[in-house]
Amino acid sequence: MRCPYCRHADSRVVDSREADDGQLIRRRRSCPECGKRFTTVEEAVLAVVKRSGVTEPFSRTKIIGGVRKACQGRPVDDDSLALLAQRVEETVRAKGAAEIPSHDVGLAILGPLRDLDEIAYLRFASVYRSFDSLADFEREIETLRAAAQAREQGRADAVEAAGRTS
């Protein structure tokens, strides 16, 4: 690492610490030439490979922008979008790859978006999965209904079990 003061080509690491839950590494360095100390911050860059083959850095801002379009006119606030983007990034980073296909990023968006707002989910899924017909929408709506019924049944079972233990 080049010294920012004297431009000497080498420096010595004095201390290293993780920051942002391990996403960053802060290194305290010392220049053997001028003796000054400085800090560097290293971040693992996550790259997204688009269908065209172009690679670009992962961006929460792009996730929020795309999901915001699907949420247009829906009661979804900016904090919820930021949280969704964070969940997506955590999911994608958990795969442990330095590069991830854009298709996988889209898949990572679908789950949290379904939990956030079903209408926005349908809008996003219709574009992302290239719905061609009304039947595609109907099939997805049936899947959403089945999941909602399963959640309701699970709640009812939990309430019933809690009543038996009281």
Side-chain angles (χ1 to χ4, degrees):
M1 180 82 220
R2 191 174 294 276
C3 174
Y5 301 105
C6 70
R7 308 300 296 158
H8 184 69
D10 197 17
S11 64
R12 181 169 87 61
V13 175
V14 178
D15 183 38
S16 292
R17 296 179 187 203
E18 287 186 0
D20 285 345
D21 296 326
Q23 298 299 317
L24 301 174
I25 299 175
R26 296 173 54 99
R27 297 195 195 280
R28 192 73 180 136
R29 296 177 176 271
S30 175
C31 176
E33 188 70 24
C34 68
K36 292 195 177 183
R37 291 183 170 211
F38 57 97
T39 301
T40 59
V41 178
E42 299 173 18
E43 180 178 16
V45 176
L46 178 62
V48 176
V49 181
K50 303 194 130 211
R51 279 186 226 157
S52 64
V54 174
T55 303
E56 64 181 45
F58 178 87
S59 168
R60 282 189 191 179
T61 306
K62 286 189 80 171
I63 301 294
I64 291 170
V67 173
R68 181 174 278 130
K69 290 174 190 169
C71 293
Q72 199 166 14
R74 302 293 304 153
V76 176
D77 61 10
D78 288 344
D79 289 342
S80 297
L81 293 177
L83 187 58
L84 180 140
Q86 179 181 346
R87 285 178 61 193
V88 169
E89 183 174 5
E90 288 169 357
T91 300
V92 169
R93 283 192 185 274
K95 294 184 185 239
E99 292 184 343
I100 186 157
S102 59
H103 179 76
D104 290 357
V105 175
L107 290 176
I109 291 170
L110 288 173
L113 184 55
R114 183 182 326 121
D115 296 339
L116 181 64
D117 187 286
E118 289 178 337
I119 301 298
Y121 165 79
L122 276 174
R123 290 174 178 171
F124 189 88
S126 70
V127 173
Y128 181 73
R129 292 186 176 155
S130 303
F131 287 4
D132 292 325
S133 67
L134 191 56
D136 293 336
F137 278 97
E138 289 171 341
R139 200 171 20 260
E140 198 63 39
I141 289 169
E142 278 306 311
T143 302
L144 287 171
R145 282 189 180 137
Q149 286 175 345
R151 281 193 308 272
E152 281 301 316
Q153 185 61 44
R155 285 189 198 119
D157 291 346
V159 168
E160 184 179 321
R164 279 183 279 178
T165 60
S166 298

